[in-house]
Amino acid sequence: MCTDCGCAAPAPGHDHGHEPHPRTIRIEEDLLAKNQSLATANRIRFAAHQLFVLNLVSSPGSGKTSILERTLRDLAGQMTFAVLEGDQQTSNDAERIAATGVPVKQINTGTGCHLDAHMVSHGAEAFDLNSTDILMIENVGNLVCPASFDLGEDHKVAVLSVTEGEDKPLKYPHMFRVADLVLINKIDLLPYLRFDLEKCKTFARRINPQIEIIELSCHSGVGMSAWYDWLIREGNRKRDVNHT
Amino acid sequence: MHELGLTQNLIEIAEVHARREGAAAIKSLTLKIGSLSGVFPDAIEFAFEVCSKGTLAQGATLEILCIPAIGRCQQCSAETSMESLADSCPECGSFALDILQGQEMAFTEMEID
């Protein structure tokens, strides 16, 4: 046996019949290519079901689940939802969503800091997509890593609450760059805080000049109708694009 | 720490190519990481040491080429180097910059034996 490479040819001085080594080979692959192809497959599958899909991202505690709970209750009867809940541990959020009567599936990422397209692909198997208008994916609370992972959604929606700093868009620019909409939550607390709302909006537009911004409080209900209008408008736009 | 998952992808891709080539070991891997890719090269290096154990890439050297970011202004088309996503156009002040390069996270080549 050849002691150079372990091939079956007799040693020494034989012709290996294959490339010399060591040698350099070109790869040219994106490290996210696998996730991207799965996300594209999700997107095609969701479009086939006329499904409008949102990926909700934020830091922990900004109110993603509370916004969802109120949205699902307020829009019950107008449109049908399904919810994928991403958290490292526990099914607490899924239990809160289940109490609204909407189908929900909890995805626990364990040590993982984000949802990926593969998890969403299997998570969505829990739902009857034909009878669902909107799939809400609540990502793991983390303003960093979920920015890099396409799940096959139509839009990333970033939630930022006024109990956080107004400079969050500058500190976590990747997320605000890839989001199409920011929901600024808990604005009923503004009188008690030193949060500069206008500065926050300026910072978000500095990172992403096209970003839409809606100020609301899922606790008091102020601003929620603007969010519902956005949901209906963008959902209809997607269905119209599908039809043409 | 999404670098951990990216590094696992890297090793998976490397092993597929190495096996296809009939390689016994991977000597080195070269990556291109853009300065605005959201990936921290030190975290990739750390994850690589851990994740490569027991694979064909164990003991391989990791070469990370950092790609500086360049943006083009949507308003005046000026091209400018970018340090952050909050940068504005030095010519007209607009924040609407398209990123031409600097978001790469690519596995470009490797040396096998």
Side-chain angles (χ1 to χ4, degrees):
Chain A
M1 189 179 85
C2 169
T3 52
D4 281 344
C5 66
C7 75
H14 67 280
D15 178 5
H16 280 79
H18 52 69
E19 296 293 318
H21 42 84
R23 62 189 192 276
T24 299
I25 58 171
R26 295 187 67 75
I27 310 286
E28 299 296 348
E29 281 193 40
D30 193 297
L31 294 183
L32 284 174
K34 188 171 156 194
N35 185 73
Q36 198 55 54
S37 70
L38 291 169
T40 301
N42 286 349
R43 195 164 275 119
I44 291 167
R45 173 172 160 218
F46 295 153
H49 291 284
Q50 303 277 324
L51 192 66
F52 184 53
V53 185
L54 299 181
N55 177 2
L56 273 74
V57 292
S58 80
S59 16
S62 63
K64 289 188 300 300
T65 313
S66 299
I67 289 173
L68 276 180
E69 285 177 296
R70 177 139 192 172
T71 303
L72 302 176
R73 289 202 167 97
D74 286 354
L75 297 183
Q78 285 189 56
M79 48 185 85
T80 54
F81 291 90
V83 178
L84 281 176
E85 275 292 338
D87 282 297
Q88 286 200 323
Q89 305 274 327
T90 83
S91 56
N92 294 352
D93 285 357
E95 286 161 21
R96 285 168 59 186
I97 298 298
T100 69
V102 165
V104 58
K105 165 91 178 163
Q106 179 77 50
I107 301 172
N108 282 134
T109 58
T111 56
C113 49
H114 59 271
L115 292 178
D116 63 32
H118 184 240
M119 298 173 192
V120 166
S121 165
H122 288 300
E125 289 166 1
F127 307 123
D128 176 7
L129 299 182
N130 278 328
S131 60
T132 307
D133 296 319
I134 301 184
L135 173 63
M136 296 283 200
I137 305 169
E138 183 180 336
N139 217 313
V140 178
N142 175 351
L143 269 179
V144 184
C145 311
S148 299
F149 292 82
D150 186 359
L151 305 180
E153 72 274 2
D154 294 296
H155 302 281
K156 283 191 178 71
V157 176
V159 180
L160 169 60
S161 66
V162 299
T163 52
E164 306 165 47
E166 66 256 336
D167 57 353
K168 270 270 165 78
L170 296 183
K171 285 181 171 167
Y172 300 95
H174 292 276
M175 189 61 85
F176 291 88
R177 180 95 184 178
V178 295
D180 296 311
L181 172 68
V182 182
L183 301 179
I184 303 183
N185 190 25
K186 308 186 191 179
I187 60 165
D188 54 316
L189 296 177
L190 277 174
Y192 312 103
L193 302 166
R194 280 176 296 182
F195 181 91
D196 190 329
L197 188 58
E198 289 311 310
K199 246 188 191 169
C200 182
K201 286 154 67 174
T202 302
F203 291 153
R205 294 197 174 104
R206 186 176 296 179
I207 300 300
N208 180 352
Q210 279 86 36
I211 204 161
E212 290 190 73
I213 301 173
I214 295 172
E215 303 149 32
L216 54 78
S217 163
C218 62
H219 180 67
S220 75
V222 64
M224 291 299 282
S225 61
W227 156 235
Y228 300 153
D229 290 346
W230 185 93
L231 269 181
I232 292 163
R233 188 188 79 216
E234 293 301 320
N236 286 340
R237 179 178 296 173
K238 178 176 186 193
R239 273 180 284 278
D240 289 347
V241 168
N242 268 352
H243 280 141
T244 52
Chain B
M1 264 309 276
H2 60 300
E3 285 87 351
L4 183 61
L6 294 176
T7 306
Q8 286 165 340
N9 290 352
L10 167 70
I11 292 169
E12 202 175 297
I13 298 168
E15 286 207 297
V16 166
H17 283 271
R19 293 217 167 86
R20 194 183 297 158
E21 297 284 330
I26 298 167
K27 293 301 198 190
S28 70
L29 305 90
T30 305
L31 305 184
K32 276 186 188 165
I33 302 292
S35 65
L36 296 182
S37 66
V39 172
F40 187 44
D42 285 1
I44 294 262
E45 282 172 10
F46 176 75
F48 183 76
E49 272 204 46
V50 179
C51 296
S52 63
K53 288 211 170 83
T55 74
L56 291 175
Q58 182 169 341
T61 54
L62 192 60
E63 190 179 0
I64 300 182
L65 306 173
C66 294
I67 309 298
I70 296 173
R72 180 162 55 212
C73 179
Q74 289 175 9
Q75 306 295 324
C76 74
S77 300
E79 288 189 13
T80 179
S81 64
M82 293 177 74
E83 299 295 319
S84 90
L85 292 173
D87 283 358
S88 60
C89 172
E91 299 295 326
C92 74
S94 167
F95 286 101
L97 298 176
D98 291 322
I99 300 170
L100 301 181
Q101 69 165 51
Q103 292 185 300
E104 299 79 0
M105 22 179 133
F107 177 16
T108 55
E109 61 180 38
M110 67 177 179
E111 193 185 7
I112 53 175
D113 202 354

